[in-house]
Amino acid sequence: MKYLVSACLCGIKCRYDGGDNLIEEILALKESGQALAVCPELLGGLVCPRTPAELVQCGEEYRAYDQNGKNVDCQYRLGAEKTLAAARAFGAEKAILKAKSPSCGVGVIYDGTFSETLRKGNGITAQLLLDSGIQVVDEVAYLSELNEKGNGYA
Ligand code: SF4
């Protein structure tokens, strides 16, 4: 199977604070050629380091704003579109994305109050991939799948 993975999970220092979220098992997928690593926020034109952003409720919708109140929704949505295009070009059937991120989070993300409070929902990229028929899991779910399979790659 081919995967799209969050670049920060492969040790690429693209996180808002210039750090990464390296998971060796996910880096191994990239190094074997099974996975394409992308950072939607950088693809959307944001820089690293950058001011952290969350999805803030605006009426019935959620829009990406950074902690200084700057609207960065266009960059988030452009990054999601570019990530989907990259996933399709690579032939990825499944994405392994970083938990809780406003771009990559799956099922649970920060709630837009910048208080480390979580709510149910998906990041903008995760939602677009799901809507486009790509399986999406976060790194926690992927590692537990691996453990269940006795450490063979899923
Ligand atoms: Fe990692 Fe995704 Fe955030 Fe980029 S946008 S730093 S890949 S969680």
Side-chain angles (χ1 to χ4, degrees):
M1 180 181 284
K2 285 186 165 182
Y3 298 86
L4 179 101
V5 298
S6 293
C8 57
L9 295 173
C10 296
I12 296 168
K13 297 192 182 302
C14 52
R15 211 169 59 189
Y16 74 92
D17 59 359
D20 65 68
N21 300 299
L22 175 64
I23 304 278
E24 293 288 352
E25 291 87 341
I26 295 174
L27 175 60
L29 284 177
K30 175 178 170 282
E31 290 189 332
S32 73
Q34 261 187 286
L36 175 70
V38 302
C39 174
E41 291 174 21
L42 295 190
L43 282 180
L46 296 169
V47 297
C48 184
R50 56 192 172 277
T51 306
E54 295 189 6
L55 303 187
V56 175
Q57 189 159 16
C58 305
E60 297 197 350
E61 300 192 329
Y62 287 90
R63 301 279 177 209
Y65 280 85
D66 76 16
Q67 200 165 11
N68 295 330
K70 182 179 173 193
N71 186 332
V72 288
D73 204 65
C74 281
Q75 291 93 326
Y76 270 62
R77 289 178 199 278
L78 177 62
E81 293 286 351
K82 287 187 171 181
T83 298
L84 175 60
R88 286 186 167 148
F90 186 68
E93 298 164 69
K94 184 167 180 171
I96 308 167
L97 302 182
K98 176 70 188 78
K100 302 177 195 168
S101 153
S103 288
C104 294
V106 186
V108 176
I109 56 173
Y110 291 111
D111 75 347
T113 62
F114 297 95
S115 59
E116 299 195 9
T117 307
L118 296 168
R119 68 166 175 87
K120 286 184 183 169
N122 298 314
I124 289 176
T125 292
Q127 187 66 56
L128 183 63
L129 295 177
L130 281 165
D131 290 345
S132 305
I134 295 175
Q135 295 177 56
V136 180
V137 295
D138 65 20
E139 76 279 18
V140 180
Y142 177 70
L143 289 175
S144 66
E145 282 174 21
L146 269 191
N147 283 337
E148 281 167 19
K149 290 180 182 177
N151 270 346
Y153 291 143

